[in-house]
Amino acid sequence: MCDARGVTSEHATPDPATLATVVARQRAEMDRLRDLAATSAVLERAKGAEMALRGCSADEAREALLQRAKDRRRTLLEECWITLGTLGPPVTGPDRRPELAVAGTGGPPSGSAAPGLPSASPAPDDRATAPAPDDVPAALARLARTLVRVGSPRELARALLEHLGPKTAADAVLLYARLPSGALELAGHAGIDDALAAQWRQVPPLGGLAAPDALRTGEPRWLEDFDRDRERYLLIGDPPERWRSRAWLPVPGGEAPGFCLGVLRRRGGAFPPADREHLLAVAGLCAGRLRAFGTRQEPAADTDAVQRVFDALPVGAMLLTPVRSPTGEVRDYRIDAATEPAGRAAGRTGPELVGQRFLECFPALAGEPLWPACLTVLATGTPYEGEPFAHQNAGAGTEPATYSVRVAPLGGGLVLTWLRHGPSDRQEQRLADLQRLGDLGWVNWNLVTHEAGWSAQVFAIFGRDHGLGPVRPTELPALSLPEDRPALARAVRALVDEGQPCDVPFRTRTPAGVRHLRFVAEAALDANGTPIEVHGFVQDLTARRRVELALVESERAMLTQHDVLRAERSLVAQLQHALLPLPKGRLRLAGLRVEVSYLPAQSGVHVGGDWFSAIELPDGDALLVVGDVAGHGVDAVATMAQLRFTAKGMVITGSSLTGALTRLNTLLLHSRDTHGTASMVLARYERARHRLLWAQAGHLPPLLVRDGAARYLDRPRGILLGATPSPVFGEGECVLRPGDRLVLYTDGLIERPPENIDRGLERLAEAAAASTEDTPDSLEPLLATLLEGEERRDDVCVLDIRVPDEAA
């Protein structure tokens, strides 16, 4: 196994994805062997046809097939299919089944087709669209001869479209290859434009897509009802309506097909059975060409000569040749040469690695930085050198050595080398890593010889050119800002004159801006106590200092904002009290007893816009109102005052309830000083008729308690004030009886986020029905029940209206 940089480690855990890739490759080899065994039936049938035509023996027939395949650069299976396809048409008669025209083939009757070929006799109702029975083998034979000459999946797609277009009404052909991740990649296409091909270049391995579904199950998908298919699958097309019917066929390839053939038609309707068999035969026929594309590799170099060169190298090195998928993606590398140290890193000898796959020898590399680095070098030609790392070779008992990995291009492949560092190199690298991670560097001054030394990190911190060299300790204060120079100079003088250690912060100006630094140093003394050498470090604290300053500034801003909000709350509370004075005790209005309660929110520093109005009108009736303005603060209070006094004035001057709401809505929409939207309940009690008329604008309905039972009045039509320029408001009516109780309220009384508001309404109805007291303070128990243990996030405004028992 292999560590993060490509060297084996006894305790490294192979990447599961890499192991799965290795297993998949081995399974593909098993599939190839299985396919080879499955061709025996076709081979025997072709031999029989050859024996019947030429009158030769079985061995001679086989040799003839092999020789023709070699001469024409075909596979044996392709030559067998072409031989069978060039036979004469089947002989049919009224009293006999169709048979091959050539006797003695040893194959089944053409009514039960050979593997991969359709039945020779299509269904009667399919003859109008399917190829004629005697034309199917010949057509497949012509296609097989064409496929032998194609050189890429895209040429294969064009050949398939030319073949299937006139025979199955195909308008487009797509070939997808399965990637190791399970996703599909478009390998070839014909009949669609490049923009659509780019859009569907990659198909993720998700549900709801027909092509992956066909490959996953190994069964074809016939999409013949467009309206129903678009509900099941995400359809390819721009727009998808362009293709009214489709077929997705897994190309035979063992237990896990690696390719899928898509056939798209502009016309809708079902694929006739003969067309289906023909398409399945075509999918089987192109399987060999697709696998040939997938296994084709770049020609190998003279590996023997290269290996002799590698045997002379003293470092760990390997020559890698990329192994590509049919779509050109690099799946792995073939090791064409390896040195002995490289073999030891993998627990083998160098020659044992030659011919092996790189990921099979180093499976943990698939998820490490070296793998994408190899892909980048292969694509760009720019060498890569990784960070040094510690590694202990397999079986070694000594302490780990330090290595660096380097990748360089060579022709069409890569040369990967391991460089081993000595102990001094390791120590220097560790010190450099420590300084870089801590953002500090060491300094050293010899006060006797006046020699000075700075690490590379100190030059980087000061932004100083290495060619200028380090400064003397007494010159160090000159690098600081003028404000910090005196303190740093005193500390340096005490250090070099008296040997006192120092730890002093200062600032310096660099090309990158002002930096906050820390200088820590101590002096080495001689026998007389005189400082002779200074050693210490300089640390860059700029990032930490910026965070500290940001926190201080944020805290200062928060305190200032808090004071402003508290002052605003105090001002708004005074303004609200002046505009909305609370009555002392109960009110008597038109024969009703009205108790009012207003409770401000406990959380936050803003005052809300809840309000009420309860007055007796000039004609002896009563006006009862509760409302809630959206928002908080001065604006909400100003809008509340405008609505409260305007509503009272409109009703007093004779406006109806719905008319008043309509005018208030217009007022909010066209006034620049308003606060947006508001809700309200506007009610008028007619004393003579004991009737309550009411309207609402997006507000919660009043609660009526009668004979110990509570119910909410049916809400008439109404929408929030300021929500629309053309609202429609309705009016409700309710006759009140002696002993009735009516509760008008704002949403702060019932809302408990994240609880549903319906639960709050139920809780209010239950509490009101249970509260039977009729005393001057009867509203307090109701509020205590509903608000006990709850922090009020919004204002609460309540009108508790009672109809006395003695009312006439």
Side-chain angles (χ1 to χ4, degrees):
M1 290 185 290
C2 172
D3 70 0
R5 280 107 179 150
V7 184
T8 58
S9 173
E10 291 182 324
H11 305 292
T13 302
D15 180 40
T18 304
L19 295 179
T21 302
V22 174
V23 172
R25 187 180 297 114
Q26 295 173 348
R27 182 175 296 169
E29 179 65 16
M30 295 175 61
D31 292 341
R32 187 185 67 80
L33 296 175
R34 189 183 296 110
D35 291 343
L36 185 62
T39 62
S40 60
V42 180
L43 176 61
E44 292 301 320
R45 190 174 178 192
K47 285 167 55 180
E50 191 75 13
M51 292 165 61
L53 290 172
R54 300 178 54 190
C56 59
S57 66
D59 291 340
E60 291 173 338
R62 178 182 176 86
E63 289 298 325
L65 291 171
L66 287 172
Q67 187 61 40
R68 285 207 303 271
K70 180 179 179 182
D71 294 341
R72 298 169 184 175
R73 295 184 179 181
R74 300 170 179 162
T75 64
L76 178 60
L77 181 60
E78 290 171 341
E79 186 62 36
C80 290
W81 278 120
I82 293 173
T83 300
L84 294 175
T86 55
L87 299 178
V91 180
T92 59
D95 299 321
R96 61 182 297 180
R97 295 167 57 89
E99 296 179 357
L100 286 174
V102 180
T105 60
S110 60
S112 56
L117 278 174
S119 172
S121 299
D125 56 349
D126 298 329
R127 292 173 183 171
T129 59
D134 58 347
D135 188 43
V136 171
L140 289 174
R142 289 193 297 272
L143 177 62
R145 287 193 292 269
T146 302
L147 297 187
V148 170
R149 295 190 294 271
V150 300
S152 67
R154 188 154 187 175
E155 293 180 10
L156 176 60
R158 286 198 292 266
L160 292 178
L161 181 58
E162 292 175 0
H163 171 80
L164 295 175
K167 301 182 183 301
T168 63
D171 295 298
V173 168
L174 290 82
L175 286 169
Y176 276 102
R178 190 206 300 266
L179 299 178
S181 63
L184 304 186
E185 185 170 53
L186 188 62
H189 63 86
I192 64 172
D193 54 43
D194 292 338
L196 183 60
Q199 180 182 357
W200 288 92
R201 178 69 58 187
Q202 293 279 350
V203 176
L206 304 175
L209 293 167
D213 192 20
L215 275 181
R216 184 168 51 253
T217 61
E219 298 292 334
R221 291 292 179 264
W222 308 98
L223 279 62
E224 301 164 324
D225 185 337
F226 180 79
D227 294 332
R228 185 169 62 89
D229 294 333
R230 75 189 310 176
E231 296 178 358
R232 294 187 301 157
Y233 297 112
L234 177 62
L235 301 179
I236 291 177
D238 188 14
E241 292 81 359
R242 180 182 180 187
W243 319 102
R244 306 298 297 184
S245 59
R246 310 145 192 265
W248 291 101
L249 314 168
V251 176
E255 297 179 0
F259 294 90
C260 185
L261 169 63
V263 177
L264 281 62
R265 304 191 306 179
R266 289 190 176 91
R267 77 179 191 186
F271 288 85
D275 281 3
R276 290 192 177 192
E277 293 187 16
H278 188 71
L279 290 172
L280 292 173
V282 168
L285 191 59
C286 64
R289 293 308 300 156
L290 288 172
R291 283 197 296 272
F293 296 143
T295 57
R296 184 165 49 199
Q297 298 178 2
E298 298 180 5
D302 186 354
T303 55
D304 291 338
V306 174
Q307 183 60 48
R308 287 194 295 271
V309 174
F310 270 59
D311 288 338
L313 297 178
V315 298
M318 291 187 298
L319 176 62
L320 306 178
T321 299
V323 178
R324 300 181 182 273
S325 68
T327 60
E329 178 188 10
V330 177
R331 287 183 173 175
D332 205 341
Y333 294 92
R334 185 181 64 249
I335 303 175
D336 287 340
T339 64
E340 193 64 29
R344 289 197 299 269
R348 310 182 188 184
T349 64
E352 289 177 342
L353 291 179
V354 177
Q356 300 294 322
R357 295 293 178 89
F358 185 64
L359 287 181
E360 292 178 358
C361 299
F362 306 96
L365 270 181
E368 297 299 333
L370 182 58
W371 180 256
C374 290
L375 298 179
T376 302
V377 173
L378 193 63
T380 64
T382 303
Y384 162 82
E385 186 165 354
E387 294 290 335
F389 62 95
H391 168 72
Q392 183 170 0
N393 290 335
T398 59
E399 72 171 287
T402 301
Y403 293 88
S404 292
V405 174
R406 190 175 189 274
V407 183
L410 179 62
L414 301 173
V415 175
L416 187 147
T417 57
W418 281 272
L419 302 177
R420 179 168 179 168
H421 300 277
S424 60
D425 296 333
R426 294 202 305 270
Q427 189 68 23
E428 184 176 347
Q429 183 61 44
R430 290 171 184 171
L431 181 57
D433 291 341
L434 177 63
Q435 295 181 79
R436 177 176 51 84
L437 295 175
D439 210 355
L440 55 82
W442 58 263
V443 294
N444 187 71
W445 289 286
N446 190 312
L447 302 180
V448 178
T449 63
H450 302 294
E451 295 177 348
W454 281 6
S455 68
Q457 190 66 24
V458 175
F459 284 97
I461 290 174
F462 280 103
R464 185 177 175 86
D465 188 355
H466 286 260
L468 299 177
V471 301
R472 295 182 179 183
T474 54
E475 298 172 347
L476 185 62
L479 300 180
S480 65
L481 294 184
E483 306 92 274
D484 301 336
R485 197 166 298 161
L488 181 58
R490 286 193 299 270
V492 171
R493 280 197 303 270
L495 173 68
V496 299
D497 294 343
E498 304 173 13
Q500 296 183 6
C502 70
D503 185 345
V504 56
F506 67 97
R507 292 168 296 170
T508 186
R509 189 176 302 277
T510 71
V514 175
R515 289 186 175 179
H516 294 260
L517 307 181
R518 177 191 180 197
F519 175 53
V520 179
E522 62 181 6
L525 308 178
D526 62 6
N528 299 322
T530 302
I532 58 174
E533 188 175 4
V534 171
H535 50 82
F537 66 86
V538 177
Q539 185 176 17
D540 189 351
L541 303 177
T542 304
R544 183 188 305 177
R545 184 58 178 165
R546 286 175 180 170
V547 172
E548 293 173 353
L549 293 176
L551 289 175
V552 171
E553 186 63 27
S554 176
E555 183 179 359
R556 183 182 297 113
M558 290 176 60
L559 292 175
T560 302
Q561 183 67 16
H562 184 71
D563 292 340
V564 171
L565 293 177
R566 288 178 64 88
E568 181 181 341
R569 178 181 176 88
S570 176
L571 173 63
V572 173
Q574 295 176 19
L575 179 60
Q576 185 184 52
H577 181 70
L579 297 175
L580 190 68
L582 290 175
K584 296 181 180 180
R586 281 187 173 184
L587 299 175
R588 286 191 170 270
L589 306 173
L592 302 176
R593 294 199 298 269
V594 181
E595 188 174 351
V596 181
S597 178
Y598 177 85
L599 302 174
Q602 293 176 323
S603 61
V605 295
H606 285 299
V607 176
D610 290 20
W611 60 280
F612 70 91
S613 184
I615 63 171
E616 189 168 304
L617 300 174
D619 58 3
D621 293 346
L623 176 65
L624 306 167
V625 190
V626 293
D628 187 0
V629 176
H632 299 80
V634 176
D635 292 338
V637 173
T639 304
M640 173 270 292
Q642 189 176 35
L643 292 177
R644 182 171 185 263
F645 294 116
T646 304
K648 287 167 59 177
M650 287 182 180
V651 177
I652 289 175
T653 56
S655 293
S656 64
L657 301 180
T658 56
L661 289 178
T662 301
R663 292 180 176 86
L664 291 174
N665 181 77
T666 303
L667 178 66
L668 281 182
L669 287 174
H670 297 284
S671 177
R672 295 183 178 179
D673 299 330
T674 55
H675 197 68
T677 60
S679 68
M680 75 184 320
V681 169
L682 194 62
R684 180 180 188 135
Y685 176 68
E686 297 178 349
R687 181 172 188 175
R689 303 173 60 182
H690 307 292
R691 185 176 67 164
L692 180 76
L693 299 176
W694 71 288
Q696 62 88 24
H699 203 88
L700 298 169
L703 176 67
L704 175 64
V705 181
R706 176 177 290 171
D707 298 330
R711 70 176 180 88
Y712 291 96
L713 301 184
D714 295 333
R715 294 176 62 190
R717 295 184 65 181
I719 193 171
L720 282 172
L721 298 178
T724 176
S726 55
V728 178
F729 297 106
E731 195 173 88
E733 179 180 338
C734 177
V735 176
L736 299 182
R737 303 175 185 173
D740 284 353
R741 182 183 188 185
L742 191 70
V743 182
L744 276 62
Y745 53 93
T746 57
D747 55 5
L749 182 65
I750 60 170
E751 285 186 342
R752 300 289 181 274
E755 181 182 82
N756 190 292
I757 194 170
D758 292 336
R759 178 64 191 116
L761 292 172
E762 293 175 2
R763 185 167 50 248
L764 172 59
E766 294 170 357
S771 178
T772 59
E773 298 181 1
D774 187 7
T775 62
D777 296 327
S778 60
L779 184 56
E780 292 185 4
L782 176 65
L783 297 177
T785 301
L786 294 173
L787 304 176
E788 182 180 6
E790 295 288 340
E791 182 182 27
R792 292 189 300 277
R793 303 182 181 183
D794 198 1
D795 295 355
V796 175
C797 184
V798 182
L799 290 184
D800 187 9
I801 305 164
R802 305 268 187 164
V803 181
D805 291 334
E806 65 272 11

